[in-house]
C-alpha cells in the first residue's frame, strides 16, 4: 500500500470527488479516530465487469429469490452495517466524519447503496461512489449468509447495464477473489480511470423488474465494456 497522508486540508464532498478522480480515497485508523488519511495503494483491486464469476451455489440462491434487492433506500442502515463489529472484524475504519461525508454524497446523487432485505429487514449490502463510468466500492456487510454477495452481483449487473466500465474494489480479499477480482498496478489503474472519467454511467438504468435469470445472464456477458485493459 502507498504511504497514507494526513488530510491537513478541510475535506468536503467536492474535495472527496476530486480525490476519487485522482485515484485516492480516505480512511480512518478506527471509528474513534477523528483524523482521515488519503490512501493510494500501489496495487489496486478491481473487479472486471466482463464475465463476472458467480459461484454455482450463489447463482442458485439468487434464482430462489431468497433476498429482496433494493437500491438507495436506506443509506444509514447500510453505513451502520458496514461500520458494525462482528465475527472476524472487531474494529472499523468508518468514523463519524466518513458517515457525514458519504451522507452528503448520497444526497448529491454520487453515493449509492445496494441492499439485500429479507422479511422486511435489512440483512446485507454495500455502498460506493459513482463518478463518470467508474464505481468506487467502499464497504459491504452481511448479517446473513450470502446477503452481501447477492448485493455485489446486483451491483455488477447495474453497472454493466448502465455502461460503467470500472469497478474499483480498492483491495482484493478472498471474498472478492471468488468473483474474479484482481490486482493491477497503480499506473494501470490510473489509465483505466482516466478513460472511465471521460464518459457517464447511468446507475439508475437497470429495470427494477429485471428477473434473477436476467441479472445472472447480464453479468455473465464477456463482451468488453470499453475501459482500456492496458
Amino acid at each position: 500500500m502507498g504511504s497514507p497522508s494526513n488530510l491537513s486540508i478541510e475535506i468536503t464532498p467536492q474535495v472527496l470527488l476530486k480525490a476519487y478522480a485522482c485515484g485516492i480515497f480516505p480512511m480512518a485508523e478506527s471509528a474513534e479516530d477523528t483524523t482521515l488519511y488519503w490512501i493510494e495503494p500501489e496495487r489496486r483491486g478491481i473487479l472486471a465487469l466482463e464475465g463476472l464469476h458467480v459461484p454455482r451455489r450463489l447463482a442458485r440462491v439468487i434464482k430462489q429469490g431468497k433476498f429482496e434487492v433494493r437500491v438507495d433506500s436506506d443509506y444509514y442502515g447500510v453505513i451502520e452495517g458496514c461500520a458494525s463489529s462482528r465475527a472476524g472484524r472487531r474494529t472499523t475504519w468508518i468514523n463519524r466524519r466518513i458517515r457525514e461525508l458519504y451522507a452528503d454524497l448520497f444526497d448529491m446523487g454520487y453515493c449509492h447503496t445496494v441492499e439485500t432485505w429479507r422479511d422486511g429487514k435489512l440483512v446485507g449490502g454495500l455502498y460506493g461512489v459513482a463518478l463518470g463510468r467508474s464505481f468506487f466500492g467502499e464497504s459491504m456487510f452481511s448479517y446473513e449468509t450470502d446477503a452481501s454477495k447477492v448485493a455485489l452481483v446486483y451491483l455488477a449487473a447495474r453497472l454493466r447495464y448502465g455502461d460503467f466500465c470500472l469497478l474499483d474494489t480498492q483491495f482484493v480479499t478472498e471474498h472478492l477473489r471468488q468473483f474474479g477480482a484482481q490486482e493491477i498496478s497503480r499506473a494501470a489503474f490510473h489509465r483505466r480511470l482516466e478513460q472511465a472519467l471521460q464518459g457517464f454511467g447511468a446507475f439508475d438504468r437497470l429495470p427494477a423488474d429485471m428477473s434473477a435469470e436476467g441479472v445472472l445472464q447480464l453479468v455473465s456477458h464477456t463482451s468488453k465494456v470499453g475501459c482500456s485493459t492496458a
Side-chain angles (χ1 to χ4, degrees):
M1 176 191 306
S3 299
S5 57
N6 188 289
L7 300 188
S8 57
I9 61 172
E10 180 185 0
I11 185 169
T12 65
Q14 291 75 19
V15 169
L16 186 51
L17 291 175
K18 290 180 180 179
Y20 275 114
C22 293
I24 59 179
F25 54 89
M27 293 187 76
E29 290 288 346
S30 70
E32 293 74 31
D33 188 5
T34 59
T35 304
L36 297 181
Y37 299 89
W38 289 132
I39 305 295
E40 186 180 20
E42 294 179 3
R43 302 288 297 177
R44 194 67 168 249
I46 63 167
L47 188 57
L49 295 173
E50 307 96 352
L52 182 77
H53 177 259
V54 181
R56 291 182 179 179
R57 188 190 62 80
L58 182 61
R60 288 196 298 270
V61 169
I62 292 173
K63 290 177 181 178
Q64 290 167 358
K66 178 179 178 181
F67 301 106
E68 175 192 358
V69 179
R70 304 180 190 176
V71 174
D72 291 344
S73 76
D74 190 357
Y75 165 78
Y76 290 101
V78 170
I79 199 76
E80 182 62 33
C82 290
S84 63
S85 61
R86 51 191 177 273
R89 191 182 75 178
R90 295 184 178 180
T91 60
T92 176
W93 52 268
I94 300 176
N95 64 8
R96 185 177 69 177
R97 188 61 184 134
I98 289 285
R99 294 172 187 249
E100 294 170 345
L101 281 168
Y102 287 88
D104 289 341
L105 290 184
F106 184 81
D107 291 339
M108 294 165 64
Y110 289 100
C111 180
H112 295 283
T113 62
V114 180
E115 310 144 13
T116 45
W117 293 70
R118 195 160 75 87
D119 299 330
K121 295 181 180 180
L122 178 66
V123 294
L126 56 84
Y127 78 97
V129 174
L131 190 62
R133 296 175 67 204
S134 303
F135 189 88
F136 303 89
E138 278 296 321
S139 188
M140 57 200 311
F141 78 100
S142 182
Y143 295 140
E144 293 191 9
T145 302
D146 296 325
S148 63
K149 296 176 183 178
V150 170
L152 181 60
V153 172
Y154 272 78
L155 170 67
R158 183 167 292 272
L159 299 181
R160 176 86 190 196
Y161 200 88
D163 200 32
F164 285 77
C165 65
L166 178 61
L167 174 48
D168 169 35
T169 67
Q170 299 178 351
F171 308 104
V172 174
T173 64
E174 289 304 313
H175 179 81
L176 293 171
R177 201 178 300 277
Q178 65 184 300
F179 294 95
Q182 59 180 304
E183 287 185 341
I184 60 175
S185 69
R186 181 185 295 170
F189 178 79
H190 277 280
R191 288 194 292 271
R192 295 188 185 212
L193 178 59
E194 182 179 2
Q195 289 205 2
L197 293 175
Q198 293 174 4
F200 176 76
F203 191 82
D204 296 327
R205 185 182 294 168
L206 185 73
D209 60 352
M210 178 172 283
S211 67
E213 289 79 6
V215 166
L216 290 170
Q217 183 178 15
L218 182 60
V219 298
S220 69
H221 287 177
T222 57
S223 57
K224 296 296 182 181
V225 291
C227 278
S228 170
T229 58

